[in-house]
Amino acid sequence: GPESTHSAPPPQKPAASANPYAPDGWSYDRLPHEILGLNAGETDLAKIGKAFRAASLKAHPDKGGTVGLAAQLNAARDRLLGK
């Protein structure tokens, strides 16, 4: 039969993050520096690394964190390091 009875396509999840200030392709609500507890625009590799390690310890599932949070931290670190 004719295709006139097809259902509407499912709503697409917006490609943009919920945060209007997020960098392109960033899908988390919090920005990379916020996830790691850094100041906006932080570029000091030592500070980024230190913040990542500290946040990772808290985010570990054994410490009450989640796998999703750990993934956010990894993504935030990579974004701030320009990877």
Side-chain angles (χ1 to χ4, degrees):
E3 292 295 304
S4 61
T5 57
H6 72 281
S7 57
Q12 292 298 311
K13 189 176 179 212
S17 155
N19 191 319
Y21 300 104
D24 289 342
W26 187 253
S27 57
Y28 301 109
D29 290 341
R30 293 189 299 160
L31 298 179
H33 69 272
E34 292 172 338
I35 291 172
L36 294 180
L38 292 163
N39 293 322
E42 180 63 71
T43 57
D44 184 316
L45 300 184
K47 281 187 184 174
I48 292 168
K50 189 173 179 183
F52 171 76
R53 285 189 294 276
S56 294
L57 291 173
K58 293 182 203 160
H60 196 281
D62 291 348
K63 301 275 190 257
T66 64
V67 173
L69 183 56
Q72 275 191 47
L73 291 171
N74 286 324
R77 176 198 58 189
D78 288 351
R79 178 65 66 143
L80 290 174
L81 295 179
K83 291 186 179 173

